[in-house]
Amino acid sequence: MNVAVLASGGGTNLQALLDAAAAGALGPARIVAVGSNVPGCEALARARRAGVATFALDHRNFAERAGFDQALVAELRGHDTELIVLAGFMRLLTPVFLDAFPQQVINIHPSLLPAFPGTNGPGQAFAHGVRYAGCTVHFVDAGTDSGPIIAQAVVPVLAGDDVESLRQRILREEHRLLPVVVRAVVEARVVVEGRRVRVTGATAETTHLRSLD
Ligand code: GRF
């Protein structure tokens, strides 16, 4: 199954996917393209180093979101994309995009949704004083980080933490969780039942990752 990844920044989650693919841990998934709205970002460099096709569409060149989304759809269709993974992609997608790929777009978010959607999930969690934080992989809908939840991983907030140490602890879990979920999706083991998502098969239990150590 052809998978594309969209990213805007450092691309460490993309790297986790590339490494998993190289290790044969993504099942039938093939990462066929990496796209970005930030032409010089490190995520694109990581993709090039891995020999994966890249494209950049600078959103500032588009007067409206819909036009940007239309161009994204065209790029992704050119790669016969069947699953799109948002890994630090910092643009909201409109129905122009989402209707083109129904239930084929997933996102990783650095909080235990529905708490702390939007930007800076770790900072929001830290400021709120929660004792447990984490990350979520979910299907993307037209809202902000509001689609059906596929998997979550939990980390503790420790006494000596600052926002950065918490962000790093969450990020490490993101790197474990995202490849597991991508594999489950491409193996057709993820079933959406309204708001609830059922994951079956060997790795089902790993979609509730615990990292309390
Ligand atoms: C991650 O925390 C991801 O959950 C969020 O943006 C960050 C991207 O990090 N959406 P990276 O580019 O994968 O290193």
Side-chain angles (χ1 to χ4, degrees), residues 97-185:
F97 186 92
L98 296 171
D99 292 348
F101 298 106
Q103 287 193 358
Q104 291 171 286
V105 188
I106 67 174
N107 177 50
I108 183 147
H109 179 77
S111 81
L112 293 175
L113 292 171
F116 314 130
T119 57
N120 195 14
Q124 292 186 59
F126 187 82
H128 204 91
V130 297
R131 295 319 196 228
Y132 293 94
C135 54
T136 303
V137 182
H138 63 94
F139 283 105
V140 175
D141 65 13
T144 302
D145 303 317
S146 56
I149 290 169
I150 305 170
Q152 296 186 305
V154 176
V155 303
V157 183
L158 302 177
D161 270 339
D162 56 18
V163 173
E164 198 45 39
S165 60
L166 179 59
R167 184 189 315 282
Q168 292 301 328
R169 190 175 304 119
I170 294 170
L171 195 56
R172 281 196 295 277
E173 291 309 308
E174 294 183 42
H175 299 160
R176 294 173 64 197
L177 191 64
L178 188 56
V180 169
V181 174
V182 168
R183 180 172 195 156
V185 172

